[in-house]
Amino acid sequence: MNWKRSWPAALSALLLLGGGAASLAIHLDLPRRAGAEPLLAVLPSGGAGSASALKEVIFNTQKKVFTIQSDSGLGSGFLYNDRGDLLTNAHVVAGSRTVRVIASDARELVGEVIGIGSELDVAVVRVPELSGSQPLKLERAGRVEVGDPVLAVGSPLGLQSTVTTGIVSGLGRNFAMKPYVYRNLYQISASIAPGNSGGPLVDQRTGAVLGMNSAEMQDGEIGFSIPIADVLGLAEGWSNSSMEELPGVSDDEAGTAAGRKTITDYAGYLVSRFYESLSNGDYLYAYSLLGYSWKAQDPYEDFRKGYLPTKNVVIKSLNVTRNGERSATVKAVIEAEEHGQDGASSKRNFEVTYKVGYENDQLKLIDGKGKELDAAGKEAPKKKG
């Protein structure tokens, strides 16, 4: 092995999902080991049948959904064209000219608000580094029915790349929450929370974006999403010709959102994304997260081949230690399930350590190592022969 009707009585319970003071909690799942004998982690089991197809839709969507931090708080956005433009809610970026954008691979980018609605709760954020990236597929025709299975993807309470499932439970909902007017909304049963604002509502079967999640009530048990077809005309107009002046933003407004996160916040998350990529068979994406020195020692074909036998990893512990402004160490203890050539599976425990740091302002896995543990948690003796 290699290493709508108005609901005036309910308006008091409705919440915009931008998440004013919500702090950025870091989603840490599924890390495992690197080095000469890589191990593979997989997403939690989702059942048989279409589970693998659903996982693929989820994973491909997560890569194109971003956390947005502005002076207004925290929300979500998603890549909707190949110019590097993100769609989000106006209330997520209100009052800011520039915002912080955090990618699923822990890159921290700067985005510029190039258009924002005053009545329709929609905005466009341009991120030059994302130009040329493939966007999410959009359901432009608005073909949505009650009962359609959907995913809500975003950063509720700062938990990046969170996915909840549900159905479209209602159509044509209308209400007003100053200064915005919401018309023809999809009502959804997928749970959402502050921080989900601006994230996509996705068809579970096709992966196409149906709408943009924008509000909730009953503590997130009922959500509301603006149909994507209702915002595209305005958004594409801004993408073609940016607004020269933004409401509520002065010419000298920095708007870069205070509270810059440190490498400690993102190092464990990057390791998590590395293994989620491998578990979904996206070896090329996982390989892109490695640093130059690691790639030089491990050609892509060898890298991919080395991860094929490992099918599941359970994380028993994970700790991140900051080494400096641009470097951290991630240490974890994991249980790996591996399949042999004869089809038999076995479980082994490992202690793994990664060095994480920046290369050309992008966070990378610089190197990794691991050692096998015995049942008592001690280093297992090396096999001879």
Side-chain angles (χ1 to χ4, degrees):
M1 179 184 68
N2 288 326
W3 261 125
K4 168 159 163 194
R5 287 169 296 178
S6 299
W7 292 356
L11 292 184
S12 61
L14 280 163
L15 294 173
L16 293 174
L17 300 175
S23 61
L24 181 62
I26 303 301
H27 180 58
L28 297 176
D29 303 347
L30 303 176
R32 33 142 296 226
R33 103 174 142 157
E37 292 184 83
L39 300 171
L40 175 62
V42 300
L43 294 172
S45 175
S50 62
S52 60
L54 177 58
K55 285 183 181 180
E56 183 176 355
V57 168
I58 290 173
F59 183 69
N60 290 335
T61 301
Q62 285 176 320
K63 290 193 293 184
K64 298 164 188 176
V65 179
F66 301 80
T67 298
I68 297 177
Q69 291 177 280
S70 74
D71 293 337
S72 298
L74 180 147
S76 306
F78 59 94
L79 193 64
Y80 94 97
N81 66 18
D82 60 5
R83 299 183 184 184
D85 294 344
L86 308 183
L87 266 178
T88 187
N89 282 129
H91 72 262
V92 171
V93 298
S96 298
R97 184 180 303 280
T98 57
V99 296
R100 182 163 299 114
V101 176
I102 302 165
S104 65
D105 59 5
R107 284 179 297 161
E108 192 169 312
L109 311 171
V110 175
E112 179 187 0
V113 180
I114 62 172
I116 186 168
S118 56
E119 182 176 290
L120 186 60
D121 191 6
V122 61
V124 174
V125 175
R126 175 158 291 173
V127 185
E129 289 87 344
L130 299 178
S131 179
S133 300
Q134 184 178 2
L136 288 174
K137 181 168 59 175
L138 307 177
E139 178 50 75
R140 294 175 175 267
R143 292 188 292 267
V144 177
E145 297 180 352
V146 172
D148 285 349
V150 292
L151 306 168
V153 187
S155 302
L157 306 178
L159 297 169
Q160 191 163 355
S161 296
T162 295
V163 178
T164 55
T165 61
I167 63 169
V168 175
S169 54
L171 301 173
R173 305 308 192 194
N174 306 302
F175 52 81
M177 296 178 67
K178 291 184 179 180
Y180 307 112
V181 176
Y182 298 88
R183 301 184 180 92
N184 193 36
L185 301 185
Y186 302 141
Q187 178 185 322
I188 60 174
S189 65
S191 177
I192 53 180
N196 267 117
S197 267
L201 181 71
V202 176
D203 189 318
Q204 288 190 30
R205 300 161 299 188
T206 67
V209 176
L210 305 177
M212 180 169 59
N213 301 319
S214 303
E216 57 96 356
M217 65 182 298
Q218 297 295 328
D219 294 327
E221 293 181 6
I222 300 175
F224 299 94
S225 185
I226 303 173
I228 192 68
D230 291 355
V231 302
L232 278 179
L234 190 58
E236 289 174 339
W238 292 327
S239 292
N240 292 329
S241 180
S242 303
M243 293 178 66
E244 295 183 1
E245 297 182 5
L246 300 177
V249 179
S250 61
D251 289 339
D252 59 353
E253 174 64 55
T256 54
R260 184 180 181 88
K261 296 296 175 179
T262 68
I263 191 172
T264 306
D265 298 303
Y266 298 128
Y269 176 73
L270 180 64
V271 173
S272 168
R273 291 299 294 169
F274 177 67
Y275 297 126
E276 290 179 15
S277 303
L278 294 171
S279 71
N280 283 276
D282 194 342
Y283 302 107
L284 190 61
Y285 182 74
Y287 194 70
S288 73
L289 303 181
L290 306 185
Y292 297 128
S293 60
W294 190 339
K295 289 179 178 178
Q297 299 174 32
D298 196 2
Y300 172 71
E301 289 302 326
D302 293 343
F303 169 85
R304 178 183 178 277
K305 183 178 179 181
Y307 280 91
L308 293 177
T310 308
K311 303 304 179 184
N312 187 58
V313 170
V314 175
I315 301 164
K316 295 184 174 180
S317 66
L318 184 144
N319 294 286
V320 180
T321 302
R322 178 176 173 178
N323 302 327
E325 291 292 332
R326 298 175 64 83
S327 179
T329 298
V330 179
K331 182 175 288 188
V333 174
I334 56 94
E335 179 185 79
E337 180 181 352
E338 301 172 342
H339 290 188
Q341 294 182 352
D342 59 357
S345 63
S346 61
K347 292 183 179 180
R348 301 162 65 188
N349 293 320
F350 297 88
E351 180 181 88
V352 297
T353 304
Y354 306 89
K355 181 180 177 182
V356 179
Y358 285 97
E359 291 182 352
N360 295 331
D361 293 325
Q362 293 189 16
L363 199 61
K364 298 287 186 179
L365 298 174
I366 304 302
D367 61 42
K369 60 183 179 180
K371 60 183 180 182
E372 187 169 0
L373 304 177
D374 60 20
K378 305 288 186 179
E379 183 173 0
K382 297 183 181 299
K383 295 181 179 180
K384 295 182 179 181

